[in-house]
Amino acid sequence: MTLPGVSATLIHQVEEALDEDEEEMLLFLCRDVAVDMAPLNVRDLLYSLSSRGKLSFMGLAELLYRVRRFDLLKRIMQMDKAAVESRLCGHPHLISDYRVLLTEISEELCKSDVSSLIFLTQDYVGRGKLAKDKSFLKLMIELEKQNLIAPDELNLLETCLKNIHRIDLKKKIQKYKQSAQASAGTNYMNALQASLPNLSLKEPSYPAGLQNGRSKEQAVGVGHLGIQREPVKMSIQESGAVLPRYITEERYRMQSKPLGICLIIDCIGNAKESLQHTFTSLGFDVQDHFGLKVENIQQTLKRIASLSQHQNYDSFVCILVSRGSSHSLFGVDCTQFGLSFDFIKRLFMGDKCPSLLGKPKLFFIQNYEVSKNQWEDSSLLEVDGAGMNNVDSKARQPGPFMVHREADFLWSLCRADVGLLEQYPNSNSMYLSYLSQILQQRRKLPLLDLHVELHSKIYDWNSKVSPKEKYFVSLQHTLRKKLILS
């Protein structure tokens, strides 16, 4: 029999809405509270926890928060992100800091990073025990089984992250250690014995963080990427005692004048003016282009990526509005060629655009998707020939960058049916309209919080219109700090 508020129906709705990556994350997060269980899937896990009195309504809300499914919090549980955060600040947690830390690290690793970690740990796990395509979380489970990693034993993971040049993630572990020491005296407490205060409240990377296409995010997330709160005193209840805790803010510098270049490429013609006004008022140098062909889009992006003045700015914004496929833009060429999203991202990565290394790079894309049978014969425009293939191979080798080349990206992609342009030829994109509105009215809030509001507005819009009029937003990001565009 389930606890009040955690019905079988509710559990079924949650399980049905999660994708494979989110299910893996949720199962990993619950390993400590389900230590004596062997659930085959998320539904069995949640039902077993609930029937044993280990999962309350708020516990389920916390799990959805941790996998950044804020849409499910709102739609299924009638809660918002702020309510869950408030609860987490003043009450014991279902999930330990240790589990949260590892899932956040997981979402910040690209496939080549995970492959390198599997290789580096094979002397400990056993040669051939883990396939090269296994996930980071599965690797962590194998290391836990052999007592090579635990809440108070993270040295091996730190060393491996250092060896693959992910110093940003090594520092995340060090902050976790400092926080755990501050809240538990001089010694660590086992995750099964205490509910550690969670280090960071990570934002949604819905379908995925420049890494796995959920995509993921919250990501979003992807994704993610840990975002620290502003300095604030928090209390955690533990056996009736209230322990003070301070969390140090970590924020991107946003002080240059201008803040950076805001490149707008509008191949539709329904967004340019409002976006110009918004980003000019935010302090960006807006450079706009209208009605470009794919070749011209490519040339413009390459020119902007090579500008030396990026070194004097604190950020970069790129807004793209075009028809396209699920993975490319068509420009005004329609179906002749497609400029792939992967190519656009690579142009601004740390090894190709070092003047933006360590600085936030924000992409907002409105893509009006053409049905597959209209573009299946189209080509993808990949330039630089073999040189582009060398980018990934070089990036896997030790280099001078202390910040990973894929770090500090935010990729907000909105898909809509191309039929909208025919049905409402003079109408603006609801995604871009809401984005402009929120950025102007709430600019002092963190950008990821604003994106949650954007998702909420799009969700409300979609609930009132026909399927052909809906917008679908995915957030991927590898931001490492709090970002406020003010």
Side-chain angles (χ1 to χ4, degrees), residues 24 30 59 65 101 112 119 122 171 195 208 210 235 243 279 297 345 415 422 431 441 473 479-481:
E24 180 185 16
C30 291
Y65 180 91
L101 171 74
S112 62
F119 177 79
Q122 64 180 339
K171 290 180 178 179
S195 181
L210 286 178
S235 63
L243 301 177
F279 283 92
I297 295 176
K345 293 174 189 175
R415 299 179 293 108
E422 301 170 359
Y431 161 73
Q441 296 176 355
V473 183
L479 298 178
R480 298 171 295 120
K481 307 174 186 178

Side-chain angles (χ1 to χ4, degrees), residues 15-245:
E15 186 264 346
E16 195 175 45
L18 298 178
D19 65 25
E20 186 176 338
D21 293 315
E22 292 163 340
E23 289 183 354
E24 180 185 16
M25 184 188 299
L26 194 148
L27 288 169
F28 182 83
L29 287 168
C30 291
R31 279 183 63 81
D32 297 333
V33 292
V35 68
D36 59 340
M37 303 178 191
L40 298 176
N41 52 50
V42 167
R43 181 173 58 186
D44 292 342
L45 169 71
L46 296 180
Y47 189 84
S48 295
L49 289 175
S50 180
S51 62
R52 296 187 187 190
K54 294 184 176 183
L55 182 67
S56 65
F57 184 85
M58 282 307 306
L60 181 58
E62 180 184 343
L63 286 172
L64 290 178
Y65 180 91
R66 292 304 176 194
V67 297
R68 288 163 301 285
R69 287 305 301 267
F70 296 165
D71 58 325
L72 299 184
L73 277 174
K74 182 174 182 179
R75 175 165 59 88
I76 297 177
M77 305 188 71
Q78 282 74 56
M79 296 184 66
D80 59 21
K81 169 178 170 284
V84 179
E85 288 182 349
S86 176
R87 179 82 179 187
L88 290 174
C89 288
H91 295 78
H93 300 165
L94 176 69
I95 306 303
S96 70
D97 262 3
Y98 166 71
R99 294 287 164 195
V100 173
L101 171 74
L102 294 183
T103 53
E104 289 187 357
I105 290 176
S106 173
E107 293 210 273
E108 296 183 40
L109 295 169
C110 64
K111 289 183 178 180
S112 62
D113 288 333
V114 176
S115 177
S116 296
L117 289 173
I118 291 174
F119 177 79
L120 289 171
T121 57
Q122 64 180 339
D123 288 339
Y124 303 92
V125 176
R127 296 180 183 274
K129 187 153 187 177
L130 277 177
K132 293 182 179 180
D133 61 349
K134 291 297 183 182
S135 69
F136 172 78
L137 295 181
K138 285 186 172 62
L139 173 61
M140 292 301 100
I141 290 173
E142 289 299 323
L143 294 176
E144 286 178 338
K145 289 178 180 178
Q146 300 184 40
N147 293 321
L148 294 170
I149 185 173
D152 58 348
E153 182 51 68
L154 292 167
N155 293 336
L156 174 61
L157 180 56
E158 282 188 86
T159 300
C160 290
L161 290 172
K162 180 181 178 180
N163 287 338
I164 66 170
H165 309 286
R166 291 306 304 266
I167 306 301
D168 56 322
L169 299 183
K170 182 176 182 290
K171 290 180 178 179
K172 181 186 283 287
I173 294 176
Q174 292 170 344
K175 288 180 181 178
Y176 157 80
K177 289 182 175 181
Q178 293 168 359
S179 178
Q181 286 175 331
S183 61
T186 57
N187 298 316
Y188 289 102
M189 301 180 70
N190 189 286
L192 296 177
Q193 299 172 325
S195 181
L196 295 176
N198 288 304
L199 284 176
S200 61
L201 302 179
K202 195 164 179 239
E203 306 297 335
S205 40
Y206 291 88
L210 286 178
Q211 53 203 6
N212 56 16
R214 242 190 312 150
S215 9
K216 248 169 160 179
E217 130 219 137
Q218 87 216 162
V220 146
V222 172
H224 56 122
L225 285 154
I227 305 301
Q228 301 294 326
R229 291 173 155 270
E230 296 181 6
V232 57
K233 184 174 181 179
M234 300 171 64
S235 63
I236 293 106
Q237 295 181 347
E238 190 171 284
S239 301
V242 177
L243 301 177
R245 179 175 171 231

Side-chain angles (χ1 to χ4, degrees), residues 377-388:
D377 294 328
S378 301
S379 301
L380 284 181
L381 185 61
E382 288 287 355
V383 298
D384 288 353
M388 288 309 298

Side-chain angles (χ1 to χ4, degrees), residues 218-269:
Q218 87 216 162
V220 146
V222 172
H224 56 122
L225 285 154
I227 305 301
Q228 301 294 326
R229 291 173 155 270
E230 296 181 6
V232 57
K233 184 174 181 179
M234 300 171 64
S235 63
I236 293 106
Q237 295 181 347
E238 190 171 284
S239 301
V242 177
L243 301 177
R245 179 175 171 231
Y246 296 85
I247 297 181
T248 303
E249 174 191 52
E250 197 171 0
R251 178 185 297 187
Y252 285 104
R253 181 184 185 275
M254 295 293 284
Q255 298 176 359
S256 64
K257 294 184 179 180
L259 289 176
I261 292 173
C262 173
L263 174 65
I264 301 176
I265 298 179
D266 184 358
C267 299
I268 303 299

